[in-house]
Amino acid sequence: MILLKKIRLWHQVATMLLLTLSVVSCTDHPISAPEPQTRLVSSTKVAEIPLQQLQAVVTQTNPSYAPLLKYGISAYRLVYKTRNWDGTIINASGLLLIPAT
């Protein structure tokens, strides 16, 4: 009898929680997708390291990793637009390394 009361109580709590969440999650304002923007300003290939050269460098620092390398590396400098902490749009840059196949 006590177990049945507990099950009913949990069922009521779960139902109230579900109703509350469904009401709270509804909004009057539709979410609109941001306007598409061109964010990439430029991309420049800055280096290409062949597999043999990469293995030589890795062998000097940690020889156990050298056999794991299968490809060289191509390095690209990317310049892109992003928002600064104050909301202004600025150019930022980063380095992208991808396997050279």
Side-chain angles (χ1 to χ4, degrees):
M1 194 68 154
I2 295 174
L3 181 61
L4 188 58
K5 287 182 181 182
K6 285 184 180 181
I7 291 173
R8 285 183 185 157
L9 176 64
W10 280 110
H11 178 66
Q12 290 173 348
V13 169
T15 303
M16 290 303 294
L17 182 61
L18 182 62
L19 288 173
T20 303
L21 289 176
S22 64
V23 170
V24 170
S25 65
C26 296
T27 62
D28 293 338
H29 308 293
I31 298 173
S32 60
E35 293 182 23
Q37 299 175 0
T38 303
R39 296 185 188 258
L40 184 62
V41 175
S42 67
S43 63
T44 309
K45 189 173 193 175
V46 292
E48 185 156 344
I49 304 172
L51 176 62
Q52 294 79 15
Q53 186 179 355
L54 187 60
Q55 285 175 333
V57 171
V58 171
T59 300
Q60 292 174 359
T61 57
N62 193 342
S64 61
Y65 288 132
L68 300 175
L69 299 174
K70 296 181 182 179
Y71 306 104
I73 294 175
S74 294
Y76 293 88
R77 180 176 189 258
L78 303 177
V79 178
Y80 58 95
K81 293 194 178 292
T82 188
R83 292 201 180 271
N84 201 2
W85 62 271
D86 62 355
T88 58
I89 296 178
I90 61 167
N91 283 347
S93 65
L95 183 67
L96 174 65
L97 301 174
I98 58 172
T101 56

